[in-house]
Amino acid sequence: GCFVGRARRRGALFLPAPALHDCGAASAVTKTAPVGGMHSPLHEQLMNEIYTIIALARPVVEAVERRDRDLGSQLRRALNSIALNTAEGLGCRAGHARSRFESAHGSLFEVSSALGAAKAWQYVTERECAELLQRMHTLGGRIYGMMRR
C-alpha cells in the first residue's frame, strides 16, 4: 500500500495512508516504507496486540452503548487513546515517549474501570469481558515496561 512519510532528524516516520484517494499524487507518498511503518518487529507486535484488544472490545463497547451512550463513547475513546499514545511513544524520543506510554497506561486503567462500571450496571457480564481484561492486563505490563526504559 501507500504510505505518507514525514522526515525526521533520525530516519523517517511512515504512516499508513488509506485515506489518500490518489496514492500517486504527492511526493510525500512512498511505496518503499517498511510494512506497517513500525521500526521493529516488537513494535509491530505490540501495536497488533492493541488492535486485537480493540477488536475484542468492539462487541462489548456496542453492548454498553446500547444501554449507556456516554459510557460506551468513553470506552471507545479510551481504547483509541491506548493505540494512539502507544504508537506516538514508539515514534518519539525518550522523554516524550515516557509521557505517551504513561498516557496509554492510564487509558488502560480507564477502560478497566469503565468495564467494571458496565458490569456493575449489568450492561455486560464477566464472561463477555474475561478475555479482554486478561489481554489488557498483559498489555499493561508491557506498556509499564516501556515507561521504565
Side-chain angles (χ1 to χ4, degrees):
C2 298
F3 295 87
V4 175
R6 187 178 94 205
R8 290 189 171 191
R9 188 181 294 185
R10 293 183 183 185
L13 172 67
F14 294 96
L15 302 171
L20 291 178
H21 298 292
D22 181 12
C23 276
S27 63
V29 174
T30 180
K31 294 181 188 222
T32 60
V35 175
M38 293 290 110
H39 296 285
S40 82
L42 291 177
H43 292 178
E44 190 170 345
Q45 182 187 41
L46 179 64
M47 292 308 299
N48 284 335
E49 179 61 20
I50 294 169
Y51 302 144
T52 298
I53 287 169
I54 291 172
L56 283 171
R58 188 183 55 78
V60 174
V61 171
E62 289 172 351
V64 171
E65 282 180 325
R66 282 193 291 277
R67 307 278 300 279
D68 186 333
R69 188 180 350 188
D70 291 338
L71 185 58
S73 176
Q74 192 162 354
L75 258 170
R76 189 180 303 273
R77 286 192 316 273
L79 284 158
N80 288 338
S81 178
I82 295 166
L84 298 173
N85 280 299
T86 301
E88 189 173 351
L90 292 172
C92 64
R93 296 200 176 119
H96 294 293
R98 180 177 177 158
S99 178
R100 298 293 74 77
F101 292 134
E102 287 174 351
S103 292
H105 200 250
S107 293
L108 269 169
F109 281 108
E110 184 177 356
V111 171
S112 181
S113 295
L115 290 173
K119 288 187 292 185
W121 284 107
Q122 298 181 350
Y123 300 153
V124 292
T125 65
E126 179 65 41
R127 195 176 118 261
E128 291 173 296
C129 299
E131 183 182 359
L132 176 60
L133 288 168
Q134 201 288 313
R135 283 181 176 259
M136 285 174 44
H137 178 74
T138 302
L139 176 64
R142 292 181 72 184
I143 291 176
Y144 182 82
M146 303 289 280
M147 287 167 31
R148 300 296 165 221
R149 294 200 285 149

